[in-house]
Amino acid sequence: LLGDQVGLFGDASIDASGSQSGGVVLIGGDFQGNNPEIKNAQQTYVGADTSIKADAIDTGDGGKVIVWADEATAFNGAVSAQGGDLIGDGGFVEISGKRSLSYDGSVNTGAINGKAGTVLFDPNNIVVSNAGNGDEGANSGTVAFTTDSTNNSWNVSPAELDAVVGAIVLQAHNDVTFTDAVDLTTSGATLTVQAGDDIVENANITTNNGAVSFTANAGGDQANVGQFGDITMVNGTVINAGNAAISLRAQGDITLGQLITTNNADDAVTLTSTAGGIVD
């Protein structure tokens, strides 16, 4: 579904599910808007009563669903890219507005007899805060295509992240800030955070035996040229991944909070500062 403005309204339904694998659904663009063969939308809207599916029904892996806009995306619907009932892993879902994103929907990349898939959110800035609940209101009513194309922060609540079924990847061109505590209750659910500049943790992060990985401008795809990229855990904050691994990598400084812990001796806590230092 391609155009300058792309919208799903009412009870619109897209189903690219298949018996042996999920299909591909591209709404407003392809992965991170980087496919020159696919036209990028400027604004994309997905209404609250809409459904997007790319499930593997019996066997095989879930498919790929991309919801993208070069300017602003408002996503309020439900998307599913689940693995097959008999065998298969979950698929891949990306939801992003390059400059502005609002989100009040649901994503499921689960697998009954396989591994969960991956869910990527990659706007300009990300703030994880309880204030994220309801920040989508301006885009969920009569105004479908927002004209706000400024480099706003995407505010998402910890509860919205916990409701995502799949490995969560938060990828920001600039900064990622955790204002309120995150508790991912699904067993094995992982959290990967990649920032072009800084990652700031102002509240505890806990997973149910799911790996945690932070990367702040360490030369990856999100590297923000000219920025040094620090990871700062405010004093007293905790990262607890249960039995899973924890990795913090920054081009600049890594400032530790109160505790980084993993219970499994086979997994490791890895701290890497390529051009700065580690402050305990």
Side-chain angles (χ1 to χ4, degrees):
L1 284 77
L2 307 176
D4 288 330
Q5 294 178 315
V6 177
L8 302 180
F9 303 91
D11 58 355
S13 175
I14 299 173
D15 195 340
S17 301
S19 176
Q20 297 181 3
S21 68
V24 176
V25 179
L26 306 180
I27 300 174
D30 204 343
F31 176 67
Q32 296 188 325
N34 289 331
N35 185 347
E37 302 298 321
I38 300 295
K39 176 182 175 64
N40 289 347
Q42 298 304 302
Q43 293 97 25
T44 296
Y45 175 85
V46 178
D49 296 322
T50 63
S51 172
I52 305 166
K53 294 182 179 180
D55 297 327
I57 299 171
D58 298 317
T59 61
D61 299 338
K64 180 176 82 169
V65 177
I66 307 294
V67 181
W68 173 269
D70 279 352
E71 292 184 1
T73 292
F75 184 90
N76 305 299
V79 58
S80 176
Q82 299 182 66
D85 287 345
L86 300 177
I87 189 172
D89 298 332
F92 176 82
V93 174
E94 177 189 11
I95 299 174
S96 187
K98 187 173 183 179
R99 293 181 178 273
S100 177
L101 173 65
S102 64
Y103 173 86
D104 190 18
S106 64
V107 183
N108 189 340
T109 65
I112 297 175
N113 290 300
K115 296 185 298 183
T118 300
V119 182
L120 168 65
F121 300 97
D122 54 330
N124 202 52
N125 295 281
I126 298 173
V127 177
V128 181
S129 165
N130 288 327
N133 285 324
D135 74 334
E136 302 79 11
N139 297 322
S140 59
T142 57
V143 180
F145 297 113
T146 176
T147 58
D148 183 4
S149 61
T150 59
N151 295 324
N152 289 336
S153 295
W154 173 46
N155 291 285
V156 60
S157 73
E160 287 171 325
L161 292 181
D162 188 37
V164 171
V165 181
I168 298 172
V169 180
L170 302 179
Q171 190 178 87
H173 181 71
N174 289 321
D175 301 329
V176 179
T177 303
F178 293 87
T179 300
D180 291 299
V182 172
D183 187 3
L184 300 184
T185 58
T186 301
S187 179
T190 63
L191 176 64
T192 300
V193 181
Q194 301 167 338
D197 194 5
D198 298 329
I199 299 173
V200 178
E201 181 190 342
N202 292 308
N204 296 341
I205 296 174
T206 305
T207 68
N208 185 359
N209 300 316
V212 175
S213 173
F214 285 4
T215 303
N217 196 10
D221 291 340
Q222 290 302 107
N224 192 338
V225 176
Q227 302 298 325
F228 212 53
D230 300 324
I231 295 175
T232 303
M233 296 175 61
V234 175
N235 187 37
T237 56
V238 172
I239 298 177
N240 187 344
N243 293 330
I246 297 172
S247 173
L248 306 184
R249 179 180 176 85
Q251 184 173 348
D253 293 332
I254 297 176
T255 303
L256 301 182
Q258 177 180 342
L259 182 67
I260 300 177
T261 179
T262 178
N263 298 327
N264 191 337
D266 292 334
D267 285 317
V269 175
T270 303
L271 307 176
T272 305
S273 174
T274 57
I278 298 175
V279 182
D280 188 353

